[in-house]
């Protein structure tokens, strides 16, 4: 890898894809012990095994160790680094109220450096067994004040201040749809109707109606931005609690024929969005197929850190898609309801839409998706011809097949 001659005391492992950073990549021949000053940027995992010809990373007597995004790092990794750097001043940067590490051992789930020291209060931070030095960074720079106030009250006891002004919000004009910085869209979840029920797909969950609605809404947004904001570029993020939901939306979105050059859409789970930001965020809260009557507090839908990361990715506009009040487990959606109460109690600028209303805007018909979809289970033998309706969906516990018809591209795919 290339090593910059202008900054030969700076090292970075692994290609980044960023042109400005690529010039600072180094290889393992960098004589790290011979340099009076050196800064090496690496991942947490590499610290345990990687290094240079004259020293491994864990063998260098570092003066400072800076650990970023600390909430996501498994406790065993971060404590190993601290143990191997007894003379270093360790600076742990991150947010205790964002995503915890992904681990498979039940005993270590939800555990990170913040839970180890008992740091769980943003306004009066204390640690144990001793009080560590803590610097609170309370100004958020990403979101307009309305969105910032929402997640400030939700996760940070209302302590955040906002660098952006109300006037800095991008003015997104949509024909026939008057949106606010925060927008709630409620969709039906019905246990015995295939289009509207939650399905278990492999080890994940998917809700077909909200998948199709989000796809059509994305098409509408892209068309409106291309029409009304030709000279502007918008980044839209779709955040789902479950991998199957994200994959199904993404694969259908990839098949579209009309693409707007000034719109970029990213679709994924919340874990892929930590550290990212978008002009518009669509947060989709499809419930699990098993419902939320048992162990509701253990589901993604009721994980405060998960929801906090999702809503705080939005710069200018946030759309929260959630089950409507007819959902039989609506009362168990504790965290989403908390967010809604915060918006109402603090008189934040928001709009509320039903999917019937949104479908009228999109199709001039309140039940267009229902009347133009055919959803069934897989059979032992499946023979596919041209789709007879806009969406033909066949689903079982292992895969879902979708055929797109009418003005969509006639195509076929399967997701496992």
């Amino acid at each position: 890898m290339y090593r910059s001659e202008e900054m030969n005391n700076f090292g970075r492992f692994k290609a980044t894809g960023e042109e400005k950073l690529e010039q600072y990549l180094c290889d393992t021949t960098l004589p790290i012990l011979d340099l009076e000053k050196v800064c090496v940027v690496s991942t947490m995992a590499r610290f345990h095994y990687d290094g240079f010809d004259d020293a491994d990373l864990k063998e260098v007597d570092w003066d400072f160790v800076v650990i970023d995004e600390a909430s996501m790092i498994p406790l065993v990794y971060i404590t190993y680094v601290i143990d191997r750097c007894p003379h270093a001043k360790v600076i742990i940067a991150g947010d205790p109220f964002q995503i915890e590490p992904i681990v498979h051992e039940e005993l270590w789930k939800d555990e990170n450096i913040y839970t180890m020291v008992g740091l769980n209060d943003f306004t009066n931070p204390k640690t144990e067994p001793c009080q560590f030095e803590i610097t609170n960074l309370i100004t958020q720079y990403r979101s307009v004040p309305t969105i910032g106030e929402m997640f400030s009250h939700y996760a940070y006891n209302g302590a955040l201040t906002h660098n952006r002004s109300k006037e800095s919000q991008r003015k997104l004009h949509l024909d026939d749809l008057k949106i606010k910085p925060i927008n709630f869209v409620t969709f039906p979840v019905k246990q015995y109707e295939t289009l509207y029920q939650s399905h278990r797909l492999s080890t994940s969950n998917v809700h077909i109606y909200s998948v199709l609605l989000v796809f059509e809404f994305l098409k509408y947004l892209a068309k409106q931005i291309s029409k009304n904001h030709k000279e502007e570029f918008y980044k839209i993020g779709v955040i789902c609690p479950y991998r199957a939901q994200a994959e199904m939306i993404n694969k259908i979105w990839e098949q579209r024929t009309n693409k707007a050059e000034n719109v970029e859409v990213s679709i994924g789970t919340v874990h892929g969005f930590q550290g990212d930001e978008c002009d518009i965020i669509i947060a989709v809260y499809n419930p699990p197929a098993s419902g939320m009557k048992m162990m509701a507090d253990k589901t993604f839908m009721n994980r405060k850190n998960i929801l906090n990361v999702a809503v705080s990715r939005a710069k200018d506009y946030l759309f929260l898609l959630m089950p409507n009040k007819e959902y039989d487990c609506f009362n168990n959606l504790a965290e989403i309801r908390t967010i809604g109460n915060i918006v109402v109690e603090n008189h934040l600028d928001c709009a509320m839409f039903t999917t019937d209303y949104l479908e009228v805007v999109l199709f001039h018909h309140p039940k267009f998706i229902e009347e133009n979809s055919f959803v069934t289970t897989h059979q032992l033998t499946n023979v596919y011809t041209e789709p007879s309706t806009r969406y033909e969906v066949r689903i079982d516990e292992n895969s879902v097949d979708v055929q797109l018809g009418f003005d969509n591209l006639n195509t076929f795919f399967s997701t496992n």
Side-chain angles (χ1 to χ4, degrees), residues 130-193:
C130 59
Q131 184 63 38
F132 295 99
E133 181 181 348
I134 299 173
T135 301
N136 266 349
L137 305 179
I138 63 171
T139 301
Q140 68 88 12
Y141 295 84
R142 174 181 298 125
S143 306
V144 292
T146 297
I147 298 174
E149 277 296 296
M150 181 189 67
F151 61 76
S152 176
H153 286 285
Y154 178 57
Y156 307 103
N157 298 329
L160 299 184
T161 60
H162 314 291
N163 182 68
R164 293 185 61 187
S165 66
K166 179 180 179 180
E167 291 71 28
S168 71
Q169 183 183 32
R170 303 183 70 176
K171 308 305 180 190
L172 179 61
H173 174 71
L174 305 176
D175 297 343
D176 305 319
L177 187 63
K178 306 302 181 184
I179 62 173
K180 301 289 187 177
I182 302 171
N183 305 272
F184 291 91
V185 181
T186 58
F187 60 82
V189 179
K190 302 177 182 180
Q191 185 175 358
Y192 300 110
E193 296 186 30

Side-chain angles (χ1 to χ4, degrees), residues 7 10 13 35 42 44 48 76 104 152 159 169 184 197 209 231 242 245 285 316 330 356 359 362 379 382 396 405:
M7 292 189 65
F10 182 93
F13 286 99
L35 296 172
S42 182
M44 178 61 68
H48 303 76
V76 65
H104 299 291
S152 176
Q169 183 183 32
F184 291 91
Q197 71 182 109
Y209 174 78
E231 304 303 319
Y242 301 105
Q245 183 86 0
Y285 295 116
D316 295 280
F330 181 82
D356 281 359
E359 286 201 49
L362 300 180
Q379 305 299 317
N382 296 281
D396 61 22

Side-chain angles (χ1 to χ4, degrees), residues 4-54:
S4 170
E5 297 299 330
E6 297 179 0
M7 292 189 65
N8 59 11
N9 62 342
F10 182 93
R12 182 185 179 97
F13 286 99
K14 194 174 173 66
T16 65
E18 294 289 339
E19 185 177 348
K20 292 182 179 179
L21 290 176
E22 291 292 328
Q23 61 180 313
Y24 302 131
L25 290 176
C26 64
D27 58 33
T28 58
T29 63
L30 184 69
I32 189 169
L33 296 183
D34 294 339
L35 296 172
E36 182 179 349
K37 296 180 181 179
V38 64
C39 175
V40 175
V41 182
S42 182
T43 61
M44 178 61 68
R46 283 180 175 268
F47 181 89
H48 303 76
Y49 69 87
D50 216 335
F52 301 89
D53 287 351
D54 58 350

Side-chain angles (χ1 to χ4, degrees), residues 43-109:
T43 61
M44 178 61 68
R46 283 180 175 268
F47 181 89
H48 303 76
Y49 69 87
D50 216 335
F52 301 89
D53 287 351
D54 58 350
D56 290 340
L57 292 176
K58 62 179 178 290
E59 296 172 348
V60 178
D61 189 16
W62 300 103
D63 295 306
F64 294 91
V65 173
V66 181
I67 301 172
D68 196 15
E69 295 288 1
S71 69
M72 294 189 70
I73 300 174
L75 190 55
V76 65
Y77 279 26
I78 201 168
T79 52
Y80 177 80
V81 172
I82 295 172
D83 180 68
R84 291 302 301 249
C85 302
H87 304 119
K89 182 173 183 179
V90 180
I91 301 172
I92 296 172
D95 186 343
F97 304 116
Q98 295 203 7
I99 300 176
E100 304 94 337
I102 300 176
V103 295
H104 299 291
E105 180 59 46
E106 190 67 31
L107 183 64
W108 292 94
K109 286 184 177 180

